[in-house]
Amino acid sequence: MSAGICRIIGVLDDGCRGLSAEALAHLACADLVIAGGRLLQSLADSPAAAAERWDLTGRLPEVAPTIARAQAAGRNVVVLATGDPLCHGIGGMLYDRLPAGSVQVLPNVSMLQLACARLGVAWQDARIASAHGRDAGEWRPGADPSHGLYPLLQQLRQAALTLVLTSPANSPDRIARMLRQENLVGAYRMAVASRLSRPDESVSGWLSVDEAAGRTFAEPNVLLLRRQPCRSEALFGLADHCFQQRKPDKGLITKREVRAVALARLALKADSIVWDIGAGSGSVGLEAARLCPAGHVYAVEKNPEDAANAWANKIALRVSNYSLLQAKAPDGLAAWPDPDAVFIGGSGGELPELIGLCLARLRPGAWLVMSFATLENLAGAIAVLKRLNAVWDASQLQASRSKAILDMHRLQAENPVWLVCAQNGQAGEAGDER
């Protein structure tokens, strides 16, 4: 066996019985074996009985330097990892941190692949996710990307089948409770495969979210989530009546025709960070969230009743990449990440301050879009933009909707709305007005 190459060997919980002849030969020649405590114990009867054993538990940053020192001393190093070391395992990290040509991976069947085999599930179209990190804590509705389970929730929405590497803290029942809090009880079925390749192996079969939320599963385990068929929904352009809203006369909502243009002018990308200031019923921010599956929307609304409606709409639409603050802007905005797009639908009398703050925080090339129904707010916004030397343009939108009259139809005009779109003065030409 050639020295100087670190072999990373995939191991299942049946220990040496699941290893190939090549892997066993490398173990027999090892001077140093690095693995977590559980895998070290599972190989008590391995050919590497005389090798030094190094437990990496809680010492991941030390692994690569330890391997490098051993290689420099001419020692044969073997690292053991569960299943396939290049599937959310240590293999990728060591390839990045050790010299080219000094690492070789001998993969085993991944635990996810084995779980699919036990359940008879074809997995070529599955997405793989990991919750195998630090304790993320229980899910909080409206949590932003700082929560440890947030990436998993976003991934679940984008695949019919998701295979999840769990951990003792971020367990299947915790993930099920997250789905329940996000109004996704009927949207998924879950299956848990525990202690695979051990004598006490168990596979739950397909469970409802509520069933999984109330159960405890043996460790270690992996989780399969299958999205149930559902009616396809438009990403944006929902009818106004789809949103719960406060109605003193007409719904306090950005109407569909204006909403569509505003979303177009925000120039959203899949990963955009969006601010929605004066969220009202939440229609613009919630549709932006659906258009930005890898991004996040931060919304603020001062009126408690409107904020409650926006939150109810968030739950009804099953949008998870959306956080809502009930406050008067600019309170709370300092804690938000810099935005790729900002929509101001209401200013609470703080319009000049909000425009200046938003322009200062916009990322390069990002847009601030504002909607106004009064001449005074329009004039005030343009005056501020001129004073700040922003690049801006304005459009008036007025739609008419058909309305039945006897056995015929007439057009009924909606109130005109102005959209003012602005960028920092350094962003380049945005329109004809300055």
Side-chain angles (χ1 to χ4, degrees):
M1 299 293 166
S2 58
I5 296 179
C6 171
R7 269 83 186 192
I8 308 173
I9 298 175
V11 183
L12 301 179
D13 282 345
D14 57 0
C16 288
R17 291 185 292 114
L19 293 181
S20 67
E22 182 184 5
L24 290 170
H26 286 304
L27 267 174
C29 296
D31 300 306
L32 173 64
V33 176
I34 298 174
R38 179 171 60 85
L39 287 182
L40 287 175
Q41 292 173 10
S42 73
L43 292 176
D45 59 345
S46 78
E52 177 189 352
R53 300 192 176 202
W54 195 90
D55 190 341
L56 60 75
T57 305
R59 304 163 71 187
L60 273 179
E62 303 174 44
V63 175
T66 299
I67 294 171
R69 287 193 296 270
Q71 289 176 319
R75 305 178 75 191
N76 290 312
V77 183
V78 168
V79 178
L80 304 178
T82 301
D84 186 342
L86 291 173
C87 179
H88 287 283
I90 198 171
M93 180 191 79
L94 294 182
Y95 263 121
D96 289 340
R97 298 186 184 183
L98 294 171
S102 67
V103 177
Q104 178 188 10
V105 172
L106 283 72
N108 210 315
V109 176
S110 74
M111 287 297 182
L112 298 174
Q113 183 181 0
L114 196 57
C116 288
R118 296 290 193 266
L119 286 157
V121 174
W123 64 288
Q124 66 269 12
D125 296 323
R127 296 193 67 164
I128 297 174
S130 177
H132 200 270
R134 62 181 178 82
D135 187 343
E138 290 290 321
W139 179 253
R140 306 183 309 274
D144 66 15
S146 64
H147 194 284
L149 292 179
Y150 181 92
L152 172 62
L153 182 58
Q154 298 314 111
Q155 283 184 267
L156 292 179
R157 295 178 174 276
Q158 299 173 47
L161 176 66
T162 306
L163 314 179
V164 185
L165 294 161
T166 60
S167 67
N170 303 324
S171 53
D173 55 302
R174 172 177 282 181
I175 293 168
R177 289 191 293 273
M178 174 178 69
L179 295 175
R180 187 161 62 187
Q181 291 190 73
E182 289 294 320
N183 193 31
L184 295 169
V185 167
Y188 293 91
R189 300 283 289 176
M190 307 175 64
V192 181
S194 303
R195 302 178 72 83
L196 291 170
S197 296
R198 297 187 185 188
D200 56 348
E201 172 184 306
S202 65
V203 180
S204 70
W206 292 102
L207 306 170
S208 70
V209 169
D210 280 334
E211 287 173 327
R215 286 182 57 171
T216 300
F217 301 91
E219 291 288 339
N221 59 60
V222 294
L223 170 65
L224 282 67
L225 287 123
R226 176 181 277 163
R227 191 173 62 200
Q228 298 300 99
C230 62
R231 181 173 58 86
S232 179
E233 294 182 325
L235 289 176
F236 84 115
L238 297 178
D240 297 344
H241 64 75
C242 293
F243 296 94
Q244 184 173 307
Q245 54 195 278
R246 185 159 55 100
K247 292 186 176 180
D249 177 22
K250 293 186 176 181
L252 296 180
I253 187 173
T254 301
K255 298 296 195 298
R256 176 162 53 182
E257 295 84 356
V258 176
R259 196 186 325 139
V261 177
L263 288 166
R265 292 304 309 268
L266 287 169
L268 301 174
K269 301 179 290 294
D271 61 351
S272 289
I273 299 298
V274 183
W275 291 5
D276 183 11
I277 299 174
S281 303
S283 62
V284 172
L286 289 168
E287 292 201 344
R290 289 153 69 97
L291 291 167
C292 304
H296 195 85
V297 174
Y298 295 84
V300 60
E301 170 52 51
K302 69 172 185 175
N303 183 282
E305 186 177 349
D306 286 331
N309 285 334
W311 189 255
N313 290 325
K314 179 254 188 210
I315 295 298
L317 291 172
R318 298 176 172 178
V319 170
S320 59
N321 54 335
Y322 180 91
S323 300
L324 177 65
L325 175 65
Q326 200 263 293
K328 182 179 179 180
D331 291 350
L333 273 61
W336 291 356
D338 289 348
D340 298 295
V342 178
F343 178 74
I344 298 180
S347 61
E350 308 295 334
L351 187 58
E353 180 182 359
L354 286 173
I355 292 175
L357 186 155
C358 291
L359 287 176
R361 294 283 304 277
L362 282 175
R363 291 178 177 175
W367 284 95
L368 165 64
V369 177
M370 300 170 280
S371 68
F372 301 115
T374 68
L375 289 165
E376 288 78 8
N377 279 338
L378 172 67
I382 291 175
V384 173
L385 293 172
K386 287 182 174 180
R387 176 168 54 82
L388 296 175
N389 196 35
V391 177
W392 62 273
D393 65 87
S395 304
Q396 184 191 62
L397 305 178
Q398 185 167 15
S400 296
R401 295 179 175 179
S402 61
K403 184 177 179 63
I405 177 170
L406 299 176
D407 61 342
M408 296 176 287
H409 292 79
R410 65 179 178 85
L411 289 176
Q412 180 169 298
E414 297 290 317
N415 289 330
V417 173
W418 290 274
L419 283 185
V420 178
C421 306
Q423 291 182 310
N424 285 307
Q426 297 82 5
E429 294 301 323
D432 297 330
E433 303 293 337
R434 287 295 298 266

